[in-house]
Amino acid sequence: MNLQSQEKSTQQNYGSDPLEVRDTNHYKSEYIHPFVERWDQLIDWDGRAEAEGDFFISALREHGVKKVLDVATGTGFHSVRLLRAGFEVTSADGSPTMLAKAFENARKRDYLLRTAQADWRWLNRDIHDYYDAVICLGNSFTHLHDDNDRRKALAEFYATLKHDGILIIDQRNYDALLDHKVEPTHNFYYCGDNVRATPEHVDESLARFRYEFPDDEVFHLNMFPLRKKYVRRLLREVGFQHVTTYGDFQETYRDAEPDFFIHVAEKR
Ligand code: SAM
């Protein structure tokens, strides 16, 4: 099946051994139309807005940000929030299905998204402008399955930032999962009441999650379990001068506790 027909298909296709699918290119065929249509039940815009408060808006304002590139727009939650808060936003994503949903969600709220379909690994082929901030949120970076792809994507984010720009990138607390310390509760990001998101398989190079919806539909995502230290090191290695990591939006936390880490990386 080619990629276009995979995106239009009604079932995800992980082949005969789903645990073998550890491929960066697979994300487009994971976000098939019926899954994208249900994504907002999973993240629940109102619950999520309440849970994260004005953390991102304050962080962006503190750094004097005006112009933002949302590289993982998904269904548009952060793009719309930032437009509403007065930022100038460009909304990019590699998945056309996600971008179409984001555009529709924004229209319903009287905003017109400026969208660009762009894969992070070749971002600057499609994005020809400079930004005060790049945001990559909602545990998106986890879709890159190999080290080279992650370095390439971060280098592309770095290149599209102005000299004093910032990157805000987040990740699930996979250390806790890998080290069997806790089972993150997904309270902060996945707020939908009737949706179950559970790790079905976790090893050092795969976290396969199962998403169960009230209508008995089940979808999966195969992701790379990023360790916090590794992401911080990569950010430094591609050139970011200063990286601050928050746990569930707090500056102080015990490592095993947060569900999510948020890194604010400064180019300077
Ligand atoms: N930020 C949104 C949110 O918080 O709801 C979406 C998060 S969703 C987990 C991950 C998004 O990253 C998807 O929309 C997917 O298409 C996008 N994505 C994954 N890998 C990508 C890549 N290599 N290039 C561009 N977009 C990618």
Side-chain angles (χ1 to χ4, degrees), residues 34-58:
F35 190 23
V36 168
E37 281 301 315
R38 285 172 180 80
W39 188 258
D40 292 329
Q41 288 181 44
L42 174 68
I43 63 172
D44 174 4
W45 285 36
D46 292 340
R48 191 173 181 185
E50 202 179 312
E52 68 177 41
D54 61 0
F55 178 88
F56 295 110
I57 290 168
S58 301

Side-chain angles (χ1 to χ4, degrees), residues 14-81:
Y14 285 95
S16 57
D17 188 357
L19 300 188
E20 281 306 301
V21 181
R22 299 171 188 223
D23 173 13
T24 296
N25 293 315
H26 200 244
Y27 73 96
K28 286 192 199 175
S29 52
E30 289 179 302
Y31 289 111
I32 53 169
H33 194 258
F35 190 23
V36 168
E37 281 301 315
R38 285 172 180 80
W39 188 258
D40 292 329
Q41 288 181 44
L42 174 68
I43 63 172
D44 174 4
W45 285 36
D46 292 340
R48 191 173 181 185
E50 202 179 312
E52 68 177 41
D54 61 0
F55 178 88
F56 295 110
I57 290 168
S58 301
L60 293 169
R61 287 199 180 131
E62 263 167 40
H63 286 88
V65 169
K66 294 201 163 41
K67 210 167 144 187
V68 181
L69 176 64
D70 182 356
V71 290
T73 297
T75 54
F77 174 76
H78 283 108
S79 286
V80 170
R81 274 211 91 186

Side-chain angles (χ1 to χ4, degrees), residues 52-68 82 85 87 132-133 164-168 242 244-246 249-251 262-266 268:
E52 68 177 41
D54 61 0
F55 178 88
F56 295 110
I57 290 168
S58 301
L60 293 169
R61 287 199 180 131
E62 263 167 40
H63 286 88
V65 169
K66 294 201 163 41
K67 210 167 144 187
V68 181
L82 297 184
F87 293 93
D132 303 312
D164 57 350
I166 56 167
L167 166 67
I168 310 185
H242 192 259
T244 311
T245 300
Y246 300 83
F249 312 113
Q250 306 298 320
E251 210 160 341
I262 300 122
H263 310 281
V264 178
E266 298 170 44
R268 282 200 252 191

Side-chain angles (χ1 to χ4, degrees), residues 14-266:
Y14 285 95
S16 57
D17 188 357
L19 300 188
E20 281 306 301
V21 181
R22 299 171 188 223
D23 173 13
T24 296
N25 293 315
H26 200 244
Y27 73 96
K28 286 192 199 175
S29 52
E30 289 179 302
Y31 289 111
I32 53 169
H33 194 258
F35 190 23
V36 168
E37 281 301 315
R38 285 172 180 80
W39 188 258
D40 292 329
Q41 288 181 44
L42 174 68
I43 63 172
D44 174 4
W45 285 36
D46 292 340
R48 191 173 181 185
E50 202 179 312
E52 68 177 41
D54 61 0
F55 178 88
F56 295 110
I57 290 168
S58 301
L60 293 169
R61 287 199 180 131
E62 263 167 40
H63 286 88
V65 169
K66 294 201 163 41
K67 210 167 144 187
V68 181
L69 176 64
D70 182 356
V71 290
T73 297
T75 54
F77 174 76
H78 283 108
S79 286
V80 170
R81 274 211 91 186
L82 297 184
L83 281 171
R84 192 172 278 151
F87 293 93
E88 189 187 321
V89 182
T90 300
S91 307
D93 200 290
S95 157
T97 319
M98 277 296 201
L99 276 183
K101 186 68 193 172
F103 192 81
E104 179 192 320
N105 276 337
R107 276 295 286 273
K108 277 194 214 148
R109 293 162 175 88
D110 291 329
Y111 291 98
L112 214 54
L113 284 195
R114 183 185 304 168
T115 57
Q117 192 191 334
D119 189 289
W120 307 326
R121 292 165 290 172
W122 304 281
L123 188 77
N124 292 282
R125 210 166 60 181
D126 300 296
I127 302 287
H128 308 284
D129 205 354
Y130 293 96
Y131 295 86
D132 303 312
V134 168
I135 59 169
C136 182
L137 300 176
N139 198 34
S140 296
F141 197 59
T142 185
H143 280 291
L144 300 175
H145 283 270
D146 91 41
D147 181 71
N148 277 337
D149 291 332
R150 290 187 279 271
R151 285 175 196 277
K152 188 150 173 42
L154 289 180
E156 293 281 313
F157 298 166
Y158 186 91
T160 196
L161 284 170
K162 293 181 191 165
H163 72 280
D164 57 350
I166 56 167
L167 166 67
I168 310 185
I169 187 164
D170 68 5
Q171 60 168 109
R172 192 179 266 279
N173 181 357
Y174 287 114
D175 294 271
L177 266 185
L178 287 165
D179 303 336
H180 308 291
K181 283 186 191 137
V182 287
E183 291 233 325
T185 55
H186 76 264
N187 283 339
F188 284 95
Y189 278 58
Y190 301 128
C191 301
D193 282 341
N194 302 316
V195 189
R196 290 183 58 197
T198 39
E200 205 175 73
H201 171 94
V202 183
D203 65 41
E204 283 293 335
S205 65
L206 181 71
R208 179 170 164 84
F209 271 71
R210 175 187 172 88
Y211 301 89
E212 248 173 274
F213 291 86
D215 53 7
D216 287 337
E217 283 289 342
V218 175
F219 300 92
H220 288 87
L221 289 176
N222 277 18
M223 303 177 282
F224 181 88
L226 297 158
R227 286 198 178 269
K228 181 183 85 169
K229 254 192 186 165
Y230 165 74
V231 175
R232 284 178 54 86
R233 177 163 56 79
L234 277 188
L235 288 165
R236 298 300 293 262
E237 285 178 7
V238 301
F240 288 98
Q241 294 297 304
H242 192 259
V243 181
T244 311
T245 300
Y246 300 83
D248 288 342
F249 312 113
Q250 306 298 320
E251 210 160 341
T252 45
Y253 52 87
R254 295 220 322 268
D255 264 352
E257 278 173 0
D259 283 348
F260 279 83
F261 294 120
I262 300 122
H263 310 281
V264 178
E266 298 170 44

